[in-house]
Amino acid sequence: MIYILTGAIRSGKTTALLDWSKSRSDVDGLLCPDDVNGKRYFLKLKSKATFKLEAEAEAENEVIVAIGNFKFLQSAFNEANDYLILEASKAERHYLIIDEIGTLELKNEGLHVSTEALISQFRSNDDTYLILVVRDYLLDAVLKHFGITECSILTTEDFKNLI
């Protein structure tokens, strides 16, 4: 089954997922919070390991993916896609989170590879849940792009009641 957590920019979607997953052992995936300097990074939920997503100005030798004013490391997306696909194959996980699906994924970049693969895997499975984070203004485009016709759309308020 697929859940989509949606809301406006900076409306607490990632924070809601962090709070909800803290005391659970059946959740994994990647969240994309900001660090103390306001830079985005990936957080592996199960292990709490982190890796850099946003490029530093001095990262000239890295392949960079730019969207708006943000510059992201292609190596981070490669690692994230590999991690998500690997975690989806593990039986002990009940929920898998991808934070977040946006403009890059609509251009077949970013987390597109893992998102596309995992939507197919979770679409007809009633025992495991894929949770996608999508900004409200991109929801219709994401549903269309990935061919999602059956899912539950949740807000941060709805999410607090998810079992």
Side-chain angles (χ1 to χ4, degrees), residues 34-141:
D34 295 340
D35 67 15
V36 294
N37 298 314
K39 295 285 186 187
R40 296 232 170 125
Y41 66 95
F42 279 121
L43 168 67
K44 296 178 181 179
L45 275 172
K46 195 81 150 177
S47 68
K48 305 297 184 225
T50 63
F51 56 102
K52 191 185 309 186
L53 172 58
E54 256 187 89
E56 301 294 333
E58 65 272 5
E60 295 175 12
N61 295 333
E62 293 275 358
V63 177
I64 305 296
V65 178
I67 187 79
N69 293 330
F70 296 98
K71 293 185 172 124
F72 300 114
L73 298 169
Q74 180 61 50
S75 59
F77 286 119
N78 294 344
E79 182 176 346
N81 279 306
D82 291 347
Y83 178 76
L84 289 165
I85 290 169
L86 176 66
E87 289 308 305
S89 68
K90 295 183 178 176
E92 71 271 7
R93 177 218 16 86
H94 200 62
Y95 294 92
L96 187 67
I97 299 172
I98 303 177
D99 180 17
E100 81 181 56
I101 308 307
T103 306
L104 284 175
E105 289 71 25
L106 292 173
K107 296 191 309 188
N108 299 337
E109 298 179 80
L111 300 174
H112 184 271
V113 170
S114 57
T115 303
E116 189 171 61
L118 297 178
I119 286 171
S120 296
Q121 181 178 335
F122 283 79
R123 183 170 292 173
S124 60
N125 193 330
D126 292 333
D127 297 328
T128 57
Y129 304 91
L130 179 63
I131 300 171
L132 304 175
V133 178
V134 179
R135 291 181 180 174
D136 53 0
Y137 67 91
L138 292 175
L139 181 59
D140 290 338

